[in-house]
Amino acid sequence: MKKLSHLKRMVLSALVIAALVYLYSVSYRVTNMDFVRLVKDAYKAREFVSAFLHPDLFTRDTETVTITTTFPIPCDSAPISEPVESGPRLVTSVPCAGEKERFILEGFDMAPSTEIAVRWHFPDGRVFTILRTTTDADGHFSAEVEARAIAASAGGVASAIEVDTYIPISGLKPSQAMKDVTREIFVTIFMALFSTTIATIIAAPLSFLAASNITKRGPLGTSVYYITRSFFNIMRSYDPLVMATVFAFWLGYGPFAGTMALTVVTVASLGKLFSEAVESIDPGPIEALQASGANRMQVVRFAVIPQIVPDFVSFIVYHWDINVRISTIIGFVGGGGIGYYLSEKINSMVGYNQAATAIWAIVIVVWVLDFLSAEVRKKLT
Amino acid sequence: MLRIQNLTKVYPNGTQALKDVSFEVKDGEFLVVIGLSGSGKSTLLRCINRLIDPTEGKITWDDIDITAAPPAELRRIRRQIGMVFQQFNLVKRSSVMTNVMNGRLGYANPWLSLLGIWPPTDKQRAVKALERVGIADKASSRADALSGGQQQRVGIARALMQEPRLVLADEPVASLDPVLSHSILHYLEQLNKEGMTVICSLHFLDLVHRYATRVIALKDGIKVFEGLPAEIDRAKFKEIYGEEAQEVRATTVEASA
Ligand SMILES: Nc1ncnc2c1ncn2[C@@H]1O[C@H](COP(=O)(O)OP(=O)(O)O)[C@@H](O)[C@H]1O
Ligand SMILES: [Mg+2]
């Protein structure tokens, strides 16, 4: 008898182990696990990591100073320009050249360490950018340029080589990305604030109906209790992302859809937390006030509310904090705010520095709110 | 005069907490209710102000039928009956002053009271009540910052705000050590001497002998004794508390008597 059960247990364990091994092998396959690639493909993340370390934060106002020199192609097709001896000037290694010949373009006595753009200015007025670079500390640059057919002289007029020097005339100021991110992060913060507020207004009264110690009396009270409770539980089973997608279809992309989705999710969650707070209050003071002849409203005002307000406030602050995080994510599915901005920049493939700005902003705001909500909650207990 | 007639309480779960209990309390008495825990003392006191609705029986106070009072009248009755609890039942996070004012809610304008607006006379009354129990200096402290003895004094001050004719005290000193017990019961005794009727449940016999003008004893929800404190001798004691409890209780009585 004993031996049999021993054997049975061994067979059972073997079966369980086999089942587990099978489950894990399947999940390994379907998830395309390939840990080697984590290392091998690390270089692909480099661009983004570098963008992440260089968020687009500041810009400067600049004044553009242009210097120019004419360059006939081919030689004798037009007069060459008088050489300039001093001040910001362009010097070519040859005064003119035939098509496809290469020559050296140099600039002297320009603004030091400044961004410049070099371009052809064709006789017909069109321009063609050759390169962008930066002058050195002495205000000098040099570049190899090809005398291309497209830059040939026309009607005795030569093309000119122009160099724009972008001289900063102001201090650092917030870049466009910084401005956009600031605006969008505030949209997100206010989405979270607004949805938490609406949710509180809805959930606070409902939570009393879902509190057994308040409502669960008599057949009517008991059914109200179960109905409210089920309402909260059903609402809670919908994920914020699903909600946001639904509302984005309904109301179109944007902060309104995101706020509504957050509100629905928060009502359910706060309702549950609130009703548990109401259920955990000390019945003693309620009994004492009833015994002194206080009416129902007075009992709620002076025996129930003082006991629940600290809990309620701490849940509200906590949810605001959570909702900022969630609204970042639901932005990706059309909820508006910083999440939407971030998804746009990431998908555009060229906005990595702007995406980095958004990510940094999210990190900072989440950190600050986390800290503040923890402080508030500490104060309240 | 408070008259309790054939009072019976059966809880929804079937527990019979009181069985056909009848007695009378004359104005100005200090009636003590004794009995083992679970004997029905709390149930009895809570039936008197209808925190618990009795299953059967009748409670009349002078010519008022408490058991038949509709809600509005019940509140008017309740505000004349102060209640003091074993666990003090203060709102812990509220100030002492707020807790004391809570005792006046039954008299206040319902709407103004919700806004926390009180007539100046009520505030003066609260200060006097706190002075009376010797903790006027604690008025602005949070209730849970006070010691147990101080909290029970707040409980008494809150009851005083009702200007009650009757005080129900449900084991008011069971959570306090003996020295504090005397100081709390002393306040109740003073109020009783000023004409207030007191019904108080107690655990220790020495306290019963010291404060009661009359005693009733409950056992399993049945009134097993009614008489003067001095009439409770060893034999009666054994009857009320049972053979097993006798030794412990008896030594307690002798040691502290
Ligand atoms: N709310 C309740 N529901 C069911 N049974 C109760 C309830 N309150 C008290 N009882 C029971 O009624 C009996 C008397 O209790 P109680 O009046 O509290 O006695 P005491 O105050 O003397 O300790 C006990 O058996 C107790 O378990
Ligand atoms: Mg009791």
Side-chain angles (χ1 to χ4, degrees), chain B residues 117-184:
Chain B
I117 299 171
W118 293 96
T121 47
D122 282 349
K123 286 189 181 155
Q124 288 157 12
R125 205 188 304 272
V127 173
K128 266 192 220 137
L130 281 172
E131 275 168 2
R132 169 123 211 205
V133 294
I135 45 169
D137 56 323
K138 300 284 185 198
S140 54
S141 308
R142 252 173 71 145
D144 58 2
L146 270 54
S147 70
Q150 290 171 328
Q151 290 193 36
Q152 192 57 296
R153 289 199 250 171
V154 177
I156 292 175
R158 177 174 64 190
L160 283 178
M161 291 298 282
Q162 298 174 234
E163 303 182 297
R165 289 163 51 209
L166 169 64
V167 171
L168 307 172
D170 188 8
E171 305 200 32
V173 296
S175 308
L176 304 174
D177 55 46
V179 183
L180 288 173
S181 297
H182 277 292
S183 103
I184 292 296

Side-chain angles (χ1 to χ4, degrees), chain B residues 27-254:
Chain B
D27 290 347
E29 278 194 284
F30 195 122
L31 177 79
V32 168
V33 183
I34 59 172
L36 282 173
S37 72
S39 60
K41 303 184 296 294
S42 299
T43 306
L44 173 61
L45 293 185
R46 280 167 171 71
C47 280
I48 293 174
N49 62 2
R50 290 230 344 245
L51 284 178
I52 295 174
D53 275 319
T55 313
E56 271 171 55
K58 193 169 170 185
I59 301 171
T60 51
W61 194 21
D62 298 334
D63 47 2
I64 312 163
D65 185 351
I66 295 181
T67 32
E73 198 198 339
L74 179 61
R75 283 202 300 276
R76 276 196 298 278
I77 297 169
R78 279 176 174 172
R79 69 184 190 186
Q80 302 173 62
I81 305 177
M83 192 158 193
V84 178
F85 302 84
Q86 177 182 350
Q87 298 302 335
F88 324 133
N89 287 3
L90 303 181
V91 183
K92 295 192 178 63
R93 295 198 223 240
S94 295
S95 71
V96 166
M97 192 63 181
T98 307
N99 270 288
V100 174
M101 293 306 292
N102 282 348
R104 198 68 190 166
L105 286 170
Y107 291 90
N109 176 314
W111 299 109
L112 289 182
S113 74
L114 289 180
L115 299 172
I117 299 171
W118 293 96
T121 47
D122 282 349
K123 286 189 181 155
Q124 288 157 12
R125 205 188 304 272
V127 173
K128 266 192 220 137
L130 281 172
E131 275 168 2
R132 169 123 211 205
V133 294
I135 45 169
D137 56 323
K138 300 284 185 198
S140 54
S141 308
R142 252 173 71 145
D144 58 2
L146 270 54
S147 70
Q150 290 171 328
Q151 290 193 36
Q152 192 57 296
R153 289 199 250 171
V154 177
I156 292 175
R158 177 174 64 190
L160 283 178
M161 291 298 282
Q162 298 174 234
E163 303 182 297
R165 289 163 51 209
L166 169 64
V167 171
L168 307 172
D170 188 8
E171 305 200 32
V173 296
S175 308
L176 304 174
D177 55 46
V179 183
L180 288 173
S181 297
H182 277 292
S183 103
I184 292 296
L185 286 171
H186 187 69
Y187 287 117
L188 290 181
E189 187 182 39
Q190 271 185 345
L191 296 174
N192 176 244
K193 290 206 167 120
E194 289 165 20
M196 217 174 277
T197 310
V198 176
I199 304 178
C200 176
S201 61
L202 286 176
H203 239 88
F204 289 109
L205 261 191
D206 58 330
L207 296 177
V208 178
H209 284 130
R210 164 78 181 72
Y211 294 99
T213 60
R214 215 153 55 84
V215 181
I216 65 168
L218 293 177
K219 189 181 182 187
D220 298 330
I222 298 168
K223 189 183 81 178
V224 292
F225 172 82
E226 176 170 3
L228 298 175
E231 292 175 61
I232 306 177
D233 52 18
R234 281 191 163 239
K236 268 288 161 226
F237 182 83
K238 212 196 296 182
E239 208 180 298
I240 299 164
Y241 284 98
E243 297 290 340
E244 307 235 336
Q246 187 189 21
E247 300 279 310
V248 186
R249 297 289 172 175
T251 44
T252 312
V253 173
E254 275 160 11

Side-chain angles (χ1 to χ4, degrees), chain A residues 24-277:
Chain A
Y24 281 113
S25 71
V26 169
S27 25
Y28 185 83
R29 244 180 303 135
V30 298
T31 50
N32 294 324
M33 295 301 273
D34 187 353
F35 293 110
V36 178
R37 276 186 47 214
L38 268 181
V39 179
K40 212 175 67 186
D41 288 356
Y43 72 95
K44 287 186 184 168
R46 210 168 51 198
E47 187 184 358
F48 195 78
V49 169
S50 134
F52 185 66
L53 295 175
H54 297 102
D56 179 358
L57 298 178
F58 298 107
T59 179
R60 291 173 190 275
D61 281 340
T62 55
E63 184 184 39
T64 308
V65 174
T66 308
I67 51 178
T68 181
T69 183
T70 49
F71 192 83
I73 302 171
C75 284
D76 299 332
S77 61
I80 60 169
S81 59
E82 290 284 310
V84 184
E85 296 298 331
S86 66
R89 60 193 186 277
L90 295 175
V91 176
T92 48
S93 53
V94 289
C96 59
E99 275 175 30
K100 296 212 177 141
E101 286 178 10
R102 291 180 158 273
F103 62 96
I104 303 293
L105 173 72
E106 279 183 287
F108 294 97
D109 296 336
M110 301 167 65
S113 313
T114 305
E115 280 179 41
I116 56 170
V118 182
R119 64 169 175 263
W120 286 111
H121 189 144
F122 304 137
D124 60 8
R126 287 178 304 155
V127 296
F128 178 84
T129 299
I130 304 167
L131 76 132
R132 290 173 174 277
T133 180
T134 307
T135 57
D136 66 16
D138 299 324
H140 172 262
F141 83 92
S142 79
E144 194 187 27
V145 182
E146 184 187 340
R148 301 173 75 170
I150 192 175
S153 308
V157 178
S159 288
I161 299 173
E162 291 180 343
V163 175
D164 280 347
T165 316
Y166 303 110
I167 300 167
I169 54 166
S170 75
L172 288 177
K173 55 174 215 174
S175 66
Q176 190 58 40
M178 177 103 143
K179 284 183 202 158
D180 291 346
V181 163
T182 308
R183 191 184 60 240
E184 294 303 320
I185 200 99
F186 272 104
V187 169
T188 294
I189 291 172
F190 285 117
M191 276 168 68
L193 180 64
F194 204 57
S195 56
T196 313
T197 308
I198 301 175
T200 301
I201 292 168
I202 298 171
L206 285 183
S207 69
F208 282 82
L209 300 181
S212 55
N213 55 342
I214 302 283
T215 309
K216 216 171 162 186
R217 287 205 192 109
L220 179 70
T222 307
S223 28
V224 168
Y225 166 79
Y226 281 111
I227 289 169
T228 341
R229 258 212 124 83
S230 323
F231 170 71
F232 285 150
N233 282 334
I234 291 168
M235 297 243 289
R236 260 156 53 89
S237 58
Y238 289 98
D239 183 85
L241 271 180
V242 178
M243 276 289 168
T245 315
V246 170
F247 276 103
F249 271 117
W250 181 359
L251 304 167
Y253 279 20
F256 184 37
T259 307
M260 291 320 292
L262 274 178
T263 304
V264 171
V265 176
T266 311
V267 164
S269 176
L270 275 183
K272 183 111 202 292
L273 288 171
F274 283 175
S275 62
E276 277 163 7

